[in-house]
Amino acid sequence: MGLKKPNIEEIRHAKNAVFSPSMFGSSLQEIMNMQKERYPDRQLPWVQTRLSEEVLALNGDQTEGIFRVPGDIDEVNALKLQVDQWKIPTGLEDPHVPASLLKLWYRELEEPLIPHEFYEQCITHYENPEAAIAVIHSLPRINKMVLCYLIRFLQVFVQPANVAVTKMDVNNLAMVMAPNCLRCQSDDPRIIFENTRKEMSFIRVLIQHLDTSFMEGVL
């Protein structure tokens, strides 16, 4: 199926991208540096908070299969182009679109949200809430803030009134979100399989036990 010719908007974006780096595929520190002039007071990546807010504004917490059902790929790509120009278009209707782009943003971070040097601790403490929470509080500050914002966001979705509609309980949410937070560096299929379960359990423990009240109102 031959490649589509790029449209004008995509060509313009490609030209701009040479001069302005993308918020996707960068490191958290690079992203914070990118937004410093525009948003000097923000403690969190604009792209993270705005897409999260958009998911909720479109009633994503009352949408069946949220974070599991993918958004329309063309709409997700169009939104990505806009976000890289610091815009969230008005008139979005489908919460699956910002939800898919948000997952993509976490997954494409240059370094995983929970950095590699903390990975072994996470999969060791996947059943121990106190130890799991201690790992989170030992993360570099920006990683800790971004992760705690994500967990606080997911804690909205596990409220029973929401799960009744979304069919996405804490296990489902942990399953779809763990790969966006933790990356196994092994090539051994057995280890990957074994660790996948532990990664999910670790994120589930955080959703259930991490006190994120200190993130109230933080942007």
Side-chain angles (χ1 to χ4, degrees):
M1 50 169 269
L3 284 172
K4 279 204 340 242
K5 273 174 76 171
N7 62 33
I8 296 294
E9 183 56 37
E10 286 166 337
I11 291 171
R12 188 182 300 127
H13 182 72
K15 272 164 71 173
N16 289 345
V18 177
F19 303 106
S20 61
S22 173
M23 284 179 250
F24 296 82
S26 295
S27 72
L28 285 176
Q29 204 47 64
E30 285 167 347
I31 292 164
M32 295 309 287
N33 290 341
M34 272 179 228
Q35 69 182 40
K36 211 163 49 196
E37 279 181 30
R38 199 177 291 257
Y39 300 114
D41 299 327
R42 280 183 177 253
Q43 299 184 59
L44 290 162
W46 172 88
V47 53
Q48 176 191 28
T49 57
R50 278 303 288 117
L51 286 173
S52 302
E53 288 162 0
E54 202 57 36
V55 172
L56 293 176
L58 297 174
N59 297 318
D61 54 354
Q62 287 282 300
T63 301
E64 186 168 339
I66 193 69
F67 297 118
R68 183 180 54 74
V69 174
D72 177 84
I73 186 72
D74 291 329
E75 287 187 47
V76 173
N77 284 333
L79 180 58
K80 185 178 180 182
L81 289 178
Q82 293 278 307
V83 165
D84 256 333
Q85 296 164 40
W86 307 96
K87 295 184 204 130
I88 297 273
T90 50
L92 281 177
E93 289 173 6
D94 180 5
H96 295 303
V97 173
S100 292
L101 189 58
L102 185 60
K103 277 169 55 179
L104 182 76
W105 179 75
Y106 287 117
R107 195 167 62 247
E108 287 196 346
L109 283 171
E110 187 175 28
E111 187 181 39
L113 184 47
I114 299 175
H116 292 305
E117 62 262 35
F118 296 90
Y119 182 86
E120 288 302 324
Q121 291 178 54
C122 294
I123 60 165
T124 305
H125 299 310
Y126 67 96
E127 289 178 313
N128 179 340
E130 275 175 29
I133 289 165
V135 175
I136 299 316
H137 286 294
S138 70
L139 294 177
R141 183 171 189 277
I142 184 65
N143 298 71
K144 174 182 152 180
M145 296 283 289
V146 169
L147 181 65
C148 288
Y149 182 92
L150 169 60
I151 297 298
R152 186 170 180 78
F153 178 65
L154 295 176
Q155 286 168 342
V156 171
F157 291 85
V158 296
Q159 294 166 15
N162 289 334
V163 176
V165 182
T166 64
K167 312 283 194 284
M168 293 294 288
D169 64 10
V170 68
N171 292 312
N172 293 335
L173 287 167
M175 183 166 68
V176 295
M177 282 305 184
N180 304 321
C181 301
L182 290 154
R183 292 181 208 158
C184 180
Q185 288 189 289
S186 172
D187 295 328
D188 183 335
R190 284 169 312 178
I191 293 178
I192 294 170
F193 180 75
E194 193 55 35
N195 285 8
T196 298
R197 190 175 54 84
K198 296 175 181 174
E199 292 167 13
M200 279 167 42
S201 298
F202 183 78
I203 298 300
R204 182 179 66 220
V205 160
L206 295 184
I207 297 171
Q208 289 173 320
H209 298 282
L210 184 64
D211 178 1
T212 58
S213 56
F214 74 98
M215 293 297 292
E216 177 76 50
V218 175
L219 279 179

